[in-house]
Amino acid sequence: MSDSKASNAMWGGRFASGPAAVMEAINASIGFDRKLYAQDIRGSIAHSQMLAKTGIISAEDQERIAHGLNTILHEIESGAFAFSTALEDIHMNVEARLAELIGPAAGRLHTARSRNDQVAVDFRLWVKDEFFRVAEALKGLIRTLLARAEEHAATVMPGFTHLQSAQPVTFGHHCMAYVEMFARDLSRVRDAIARMDQSPLGAAALAGTSFPIDRHMTAKALGFREPTRNSLDSVSDRDFALEFLSIAAICATHLSRLAEEIVIWSTPQFGFVRLSDSFSTGSSIMPQKKNPDAAELVRAKTGRVNGHLIGLLTVMKGLPLTYSKDMQEDKEAVFDAAETLDLMIAAMTGMVGDMTIVEAAMKRAAGSGHSTATDLADWLVRTLDMPFREAHHVTGRAVALAEARGVDISRLSTADLQSVHPGITDDLVLSVQNSVKSRKSYGGTAPAEVRRQVKAWKKRIDKA
């Protein structure tokens, strides 16, 4: 067997040139890190401006560099740029093209810089930009939920524990629970932006540089609050990527919980909501089916986002300081999680905004399962000054009576209830409307309180 045939047998048809092809394939990141092109060019222009201002390179060279980089930016955005796997990554692809455009001056750009701090600043800029996009998307989702909450502040539905009817609530109140969840996600995004708002540019390979650079200048030019304070940590830190994935995973979990409820609510057995044709599909064999595919896919994609978080945590857990090539695996996880989360939020915003709320079905369900039993116990405590544990016991007997009669507790007559406890009077009304109206405590389900919370959140989200 010839050497070439042996090579093919060993490496497979995909790697016809043997080990060198395998190394190129595993080492190259241009297939995915080309997403960083705008941040890479932005960082390089800021770096060149600083080099010129500090006298490290001439103003003329800086002008040539900036012009060349802007030309490359236009080429990439117009689709005219030829990416090369042999040049490994976005940084080398841009640098090689810059040399073609402006000649030897291109070689001065990398003065006082390493690919280690270059990729660190590029990736930080990308994640920071994505955080801002996620923040705006979350604000849009929250505003959609607020609109539905205001519309349905008095629409009664069952509140559940263990997916069993517990107490009546309003659909508006239920929507406001998700406002709280997504607002916490938004808060985490804001916190993470503040924490990562430092520029690693100038840390060089790992130890800083002997050139008289001005790291505060480049930090300011790139929109960072300040430069990082330790060169070792600067090039090895990926906490910002882990935080992005962590926040994405928590947010995806919230989206998945709402998606699960939409799946349940849209079943004929519940019938609480009807999804529009825009967010559901039919069956290839059963013409009556209308499947909540968008909600199901939101639910499923949560596992994908969670997997990216665990994957990067595993990559980072055993790395000594400072940079290791393992860290090249950070970007695909973050890029995919970002695209996935963006899509999930958009889909959920659309579903919540245009789904039809079936108020009659919600109201029927809200009055089932003895959901106003707690109202009887509260009445006994409030009106008869009964200890709650005794009231709980009396209410349990009333529930047993209702079950024996085959009716809900709200259907028992005053005489029926008096057979359980003679102190009960006609002014006790165990309707779902009375129940939700009475829950006036701060953050409760009373329609007036729901409207108050909606009003307060509208003001907060406008300032967020």
Side-chain angles (χ1 to χ4, degrees):
M1 183 182 289
S2 68
D3 288 345
S4 62
K5 289 182 179 179
S7 177
N8 285 342
M10 180 181 295
W11 298 106
R14 188 172 176 198
F15 302 110
S17 60
V22 175
M23 182 58 197
E24 181 177 298
I26 197 170
N27 190 52
S29 59
I30 189 61
F32 52 86
D33 71 12
R34 66 177 64 186
K35 279 181 175 287
L36 300 175
Y37 74 89
Q39 291 78 17
D40 190 70
I41 291 172
R42 184 179 164 198
S44 290
I45 290 174
H47 184 65
S48 73
Q49 289 169 336
M50 180 275 296
L51 292 176
K53 186 174 180 181
T54 54
I56 299 172
I57 67 173
S58 69
E60 292 76 19
D61 280 345
Q62 192 279 321
E63 288 176 6
R64 283 191 284 269
I65 288 168
H67 178 75
L69 289 170
N70 281 315
T71 299
I72 293 169
L73 179 64
H74 175 74
E75 289 178 348
I76 294 174
E77 291 182 341
S78 68
F81 190 90
F83 291 100
S84 169
T85 304
L87 292 171
E88 295 183 21
D89 56 32
I90 186 62
H91 323 296
M92 296 305 293
N93 269 261
V94 169
E95 185 173 325
R97 178 59 178 149
L98 185 63
E100 292 175 355
L101 289 171
I102 68 171
R108 300 190 184 281
L109 174 59
H110 212 54
T111 307
R113 186 176 73 168
S114 163
R115 270 197 291 178
N116 291 353
D117 63 335
Q118 186 178 0
V119 69
V121 76
D122 291 359
F123 198 23
R124 276 192 189 234
L125 285 169
W126 193 95
V127 170
K128 187 178 175 184
D129 289 343
E130 180 60 24
F131 267 138
F132 282 121
R133 284 190 288 271
V134 171
E136 288 305 307
L138 283 171
K139 287 165 69 174
L141 175 55
I142 289 169
R143 287 191 177 101
T144 301
L145 286 162
L146 287 172
R148 300 318 302 260
E150 187 170 36
E151 179 186 0
H152 293 282
T155 301
V156 292
M157 68 174 289
F160 299 98
T161 61
H162 310 280
L163 202 55
Q164 304 293 315
S165 291
Q167 293 178 315
V169 296
T170 67
F171 183 66
H173 191 53
H174 200 103
C175 289
M176 291 304 293
Y178 283 101
V179 167
E180 296 289 337
M181 289 186 211
F182 295 121
R184 288 194 296 272
D185 293 327
L186 180 58
S187 175
R188 276 184 278 269
V189 168
R190 297 298 189 203
D191 290 347
I193 291 172
R195 202 162 18 255
M196 70 172 291
D197 205 15
Q198 297 176 312
S199 172
L201 189 59
L206 75 161
T209 178
S210 59
F211 289 94
I213 62 173
D214 185 346
R215 294 190 62 212
H216 288 84
M217 177 183 171
T218 50
K220 183 178 180 181
L222 294 172
F224 289 107
R225 183 181 66 249
E226 60 187 355
T228 51
R229 293 182 291 272
N230 182 281
S231 61
L232 297 173
D233 182 59
S234 297
V235 299
S236 63
D237 169 39
R238 291 299 183 271
D239 285 5
F240 62 92
L242 290 168
E243 275 204 79
F244 178 85
L245 292 174
S246 177
I247 291 167
I250 295 171
C251 182
T253 298
H254 293 156
L255 290 163
S256 184
R257 294 184 73 177
L258 180 50
E260 169 70 0
E261 295 202 295
I262 289 172
V263 170
I264 293 171
W265 291 344
S266 64
T267 61
Q269 291 76 14
F270 273 73
F272 288 1
V273 303
R274 286 195 298 270
L275 294 179
S276 72
D277 292 346
S278 300
F279 293 97
S280 52
T281 64
S283 166
S284 62
I285 189 172
M286 295 169 284
Q288 83 281 9
K289 292 289 296 296
K290 191 172 186 180
N291 301 322
D293 283 12
E296 291 172 354
L297 288 166
V298 166
R299 187 175 59 185
K301 287 179 183 297
T302 301
R304 181 171 176 165
V305 176
N306 291 351
H308 287 315
L309 171 60
I310 297 302
L312 187 54
L313 283 168
T314 305
V315 167
M316 296 300 298
K317 74 176 182 62
L319 299 186
L321 294 180
T322 56
Y323 182 83
S324 296
K325 194 71 170 185
D326 311 49
M327 292 161 70
Q328 184 169 287
E329 292 296 306
D330 56 3
K331 292 166 202 66
E332 284 183 285
V334 171
F335 292 159
D336 186 73
E339 289 180 4
T340 302
L341 184 64
D342 289 346
L343 183 58
M344 291 170 73
I345 295 174
M348 187 56 70
T349 303
M351 278 188 287
V352 170
D354 77 350
M355 68 184 180
T356 300
I357 310 306
V358 186
E359 297 182 29
M362 285 188 172
K363 184 177 180 181
R364 282 194 301 272
S368 66
H370 312 296
S371 64
T372 56
T374 305
D375 294 272
L376 171 56
D378 289 347
W379 187 92
L380 293 169
V381 171
R382 187 169 53 248
T383 306
L384 303 184
D385 197 26
M386 187 180 293
F388 183 80
R389 284 303 168 200
E390 182 182 346
H392 187 281
H393 184 68
V394 171
T395 301
R397 295 205 307 271
V399 169
L401 176 62
E403 289 184 342
R405 299 276 177 87
V407 297
D408 189 80
I409 192 172
S410 63
R411 298 289 185 176
L412 292 177
S413 67
T414 301
D416 290 332
L417 293 169
Q418 286 174 338
S419 71
V420 175
H421 192 283
I424 295 174
T425 60
D426 288 338
D427 66 338
L428 171 63
V429 180
L430 297 178
S431 69
V432 291
Q433 288 88 349
N434 275 10
S435 177
V436 297
K437 190 176 180 180
S438 71
R439 308 291 174 183
K440 296 180 288 187
S441 57
Y442 184 86
T445 195
E449 177 61 14
V450 171
R451 293 187 183 100
R452 196 181 72 78
Q453 291 289 348
V454 168
K455 184 178 180 180
W457 266 112
K458 280 184 174 181
K459 291 179 180 177
R460 284 191 205 120
I461 205 65
D462 286 341
K463 296 176 182 177

